[in-house]
Amino acid sequence: MKDTSTSAPRPIDVALLASVFVIAACGLLYELAAGALASYVLGDSVLQFSTVIGTYLFAMGVGSWLSRYFERQLPAHFLRIELLVALIGGALPAVLFLANAYVPSAFRVLLYGMVLLVGTLVGLEIPLVMRILKRNVQLKDLVSQVLTFDYLGALAVSMAFPLLLVPQLGLVRTGLLFGFMNAAVAVWALWLFRHELRRFGAHALACALVLAALLAGLLGAEHITRFAEDKFYQDRIVLSSASPYQRIVVTHGRAGHRLYLNGNLQFAERDEYRYHEALVHPVMAAHGHPKRVAVLGGGDGMAVREVLKYPSVESVTLVELDPAMTQLFGSHPTLRQLNGDALASRKLTIVNTDAFQWLQQGDDTYDVIVVDFPDPTNFAIGKLYTNSFYALLDQRLAASGYAVVQTTSPLVARRSFWTVVTTIESVGLQARPYHAHVPSFGEWGFVIASRRPWRVPAELPAGLRFLDAAALPLLFDFPRDMARVPAEVNRLSNQVLVHTYEQEWGQVAH
């Protein structure tokens, strides 16, 4: 008997091992795409990725268990499964995008249904490959080789997904591309096992149809995305892009331009001045003579625009995690007009990094710090609302300085709002909460944090459209339905704010 442990691997075995690499890469990509879409639509990225990954791994276990019932014609079964994975997995992002736009109530069911289906099919793939390879490779070599290629494929796609694929191709095109790769494995299997397949013509036709469908999807991916987003956003989309951090969409309609990040409205041209004037001027004017200012978040440049209305300002540091935001709002003519070309100011320094790390790594202090982050919809953003973050903020604030934090709606998310106030106070800072009405958002809240008491400024810059010195004190009056309620401190180790926020805004959605 020939000793297979010392013989050179046959070309067919090398091809199958290469297929394992592709299979693993594709399988992980579908999992990541589902998790990313779930976090875009449902929020709380930790929860969504955890449940998607858990469901996917469970389904893979089911698939592995079911593989025991495939006894004959293994190459034919492998080929069919590859085509099903290619079609369902490749279409997953596109189907979920369309579902979110046209039947949002079905999104969650479709999400987990497709994850279960794709996971089960992927769970069938590897056992079948191993059983095919078992004909010519000893068990100890078989397991080590298959697992090595499986892990290498997973590593490759886990690095490429956030750094290359999503920013360059988008989720829909990326899904279809990897579906095409799965279908290519099926075509390769068709050629390798052409002498074993009983219905070669039928298999060849199936491969051709799946490849044609995926190719058509790839060519029309931009139309699919725009078709879904036009329905979701209703207004005409004038600009959209995907970065490693978020999906950025700018629309234009009767209310002017609107900015959405991961589907959440960030500003509307019609009334953004109300929000940004309320955010910036109570602290800037109260300081008296601010020279050094930091803006954390606010990559659209609107807050910087308001800061630059003070002649005393010598330098502004804008800390924005996503370089795509600052590049977009610093280069697009329409968006530059909206922020008054603030991002081109010689006084401005842009730092594209995580604000938490930026606070930790520096020691410069600032007269005013404007904190303009998105709402705490997930733990990645929630860490920027914790007592750990505010303790770092305190260290970077000059002794006579003021910080201001945008703090969701005290009417809709009352407990969330007062949680932020309580958290700021827990690090020894004085907190002065206030609110303003922004029609696109409703009642919106802010909190001033400082070591010295805040005083109503005698005057504000000329030319403001919303605020004046006489109306400013009214913002600090809270009616009974927005008055303070007991709240916990939001800690890095226990982000109660994320859960509270999700609960309160979820009640509105339903």
Side-chain angles (χ1 to χ4, degrees):
M1 181 179 292
K2 186 175 180 179
D3 185 3
T4 57
S5 64
T6 58
S7 61
R10 299 187 315 156
I12 191 171
D13 299 331
V14 174
L16 283 171
L17 288 171
S19 298
V20 171
F21 180 91
V22 176
I23 289 167
C26 293
L28 182 60
L29 183 123
Y30 305 140
E31 183 181 358
L32 292 173
L37 273 166
S39 64
Y40 286 177
V41 175
L42 303 175
D44 192 350
S45 57
V46 174
L47 174 63
Q48 304 311 326
F49 269 99
S50 295
T51 54
V52 166
I53 291 171
T55 303
Y56 190 83
L57 291 175
F58 166 76
M60 286 183 67
V62 172
S64 296
W65 182 79
L66 290 174
S67 67
R68 65 195 296 182
Y69 296 104
F70 292 79
E71 297 179 356
R72 299 178 181 178
Q73 288 290 302
L74 296 183
H77 290 310
F78 175 72
L79 190 151
R80 296 187 195 105
I81 289 167
E82 280 301 299
L83 291 177
L84 285 172
V85 173
L87 201 56
I88 300 168
L92 183 145
V95 170
L96 291 179
F97 258 122
L98 291 168
N100 183 50
Y102 289 88
V103 280
S105 60
F107 178 85
R108 198 183 296 266
V109 174
L110 265 175
L111 168 70
Y112 289 102
M114 294 187 78
V115 168
L116 277 168
L117 187 53
V118 173
T120 301
L121 291 169
V122 172
L124 282 165
E125 289 175 310
I126 300 299
L128 291 183
V129 171
M130 292 181 72
R131 287 165 63 186
I132 295 169
L133 283 168
K134 190 179 177 182
R135 304 168 179 175
N136 305 292
V137 182
Q138 283 195 342
L139 182 61
K140 65 182 183 68
D141 296 325
L142 172 64
V143 173
S144 65
Q145 290 173 3
V146 169
L147 292 181
T148 297
F149 279 84
D150 184 63
Y151 295 147
L152 285 174
L155 173 64
V157 82
S158 66
M159 300 295 290
F161 182 77
L163 300 176
L164 178 65
L165 296 171
V166 173
Q168 298 299 322
L169 300 177
L171 277 174
V172 171
R173 191 178 281 110
T174 296
L176 290 165
L177 174 64
F178 275 71
F180 199 88
M181 290 168 60
N182 261 132
V185 170
V187 172
W188 188 237
L190 178 71
W191 173 254
L192 288 177
F193 301 108
R194 60 192 180 279
H195 301 301
E196 296 185 43
L197 297 171
R198 294 177 180 174
R199 301 175 61 191
F200 180 84
H203 290 304
L205 178 61
C207 288
L209 291 174
V210 170
L211 284 170
L214 291 168
L215 183 59
L218 272 172
L219 295 175
E222 189 63 32
H223 296 291
I224 294 171
T225 303
R226 190 169 293 277
F227 184 66
E229 289 185 335
D230 282 346
K231 175 66 176 179
F232 179 78
Y233 295 107
Q234 297 184 349
D235 290 339
R236 180 173 60 89
I237 295 173
V238 296
L239 193 150
S240 64
S241 66
S243 77
Y245 306 101
Q246 58 202 348
R247 178 142 186 93
I248 304 167
V249 174
V250 178
T251 67
H252 185 266
R254 287 184 297 177
H257 291 84
R258 294 174 183 257
L259 169 68
Y260 295 86
L261 299 180
N262 291 344
N264 298 310
L265 179 65
Q266 301 302 304
F267 74 72
E269 181 181 358
R270 178 179 59 186
D271 54 25
E272 60 80 16
Y273 69 91
R274 279 180 157 255
Y275 172 89
H276 290 103
E277 287 185 13
L279 173 69
V280 171
H281 294 294
V283 288
M284 288 292 290
H287 185 278
H289 198 73
K291 294 183 178 180
R292 292 170 53 81
V293 179
V295 178
L296 311 185
D300 52 40
M302 306 296 185
V304 175
R305 178 195 66 200
E306 299 301 317
V307 166
L308 291 173
K309 292 179 179 179
Y310 292 80
S312 64
V313 172
E314 296 176 357
S315 66
V316 183
T317 301
L318 173 61
V319 182
E320 164 62 49
L321 175 63
D322 192 351
M325 279 288 292
T326 49
Q327 289 168 7
L328 187 62
F329 280 83
S331 61
H332 194 281
T334 302
L335 303 180
R336 288 174 61 185
Q337 185 177 2
L338 289 178
N339 62 33
D341 218 9
L343 298 185
S345 172
R346 294 182 179 181
K347 296 181 179 181
L348 181 68
T349 300
I350 298 175
V351 182
N352 293 124
T353 190
D354 178 79
F356 203 106
Q357 295 179 8
W358 180 81
L359 289 176
Q360 286 178 314
Q361 294 167 358
D363 54 11
D364 294 336
T365 59
Y366 296 85
D367 299 316
V368 171
I369 301 178
V370 178
V371 182
D372 190 19
F373 298 132
D375 277 7
T377 54
N378 58 60
F379 294 114
I381 301 175
K383 73 175 184 180
L384 305 175
Y385 289 82
T386 60
N387 59 346
S388 299
F389 180 84
Y390 296 132
L392 292 170
L393 191 71
D394 181 25
Q395 295 174 14
R396 304 296 294 274
L397 199 59
S400 59
Y402 292 110
V404 62
V405 181
Q406 91 78 17
T407 321
T408 196
S409 170
L411 180 62
V412 176
R414 184 177 178 183
R415 194 151 51 96
S416 298
F417 177 83
W418 292 105
T419 295
V420 177
V421 175
T422 301
T423 304
I424 290 172
E425 291 174 339
S426 73
V427 301
L429 290 168
Q430 297 184 41
R432 283 297 302 269
Y434 63 102
H435 62 98
H437 184 72
V438 183
S440 294
F441 297 103
E443 285 297 326
W444 211 255
F446 311 86
V447 183
I448 296 171
S450 61
R451 299 192 196 103
R452 63 165 172 157
W454 181 84
R455 297 285 184 262
V456 180
E459 61 179 0
L460 296 173
L464 299 186
R465 299 169 61 189
F466 171 51
L467 287 181
D468 59 38
L472 187 56
L474 301 177
L475 304 186
F476 292 80
D477 180 37
F478 282 80
R480 291 183 63 182
D481 59 354
M482 293 191 293
R484 186 160 192 165
V485 292
E488 295 182 56
V489 174
N490 188 45
R491 305 178 188 278
L492 202 56
S493 59
N494 182 23
Q495 293 192 33
V496 296
L497 178 60
V498 174
H499 298 296
T500 303
Y501 179 90
E502 184 181 40
Q503 180 184 28
E504 291 182 314
W505 279 100
Q507 290 173 353
V508 176
H510 293 91

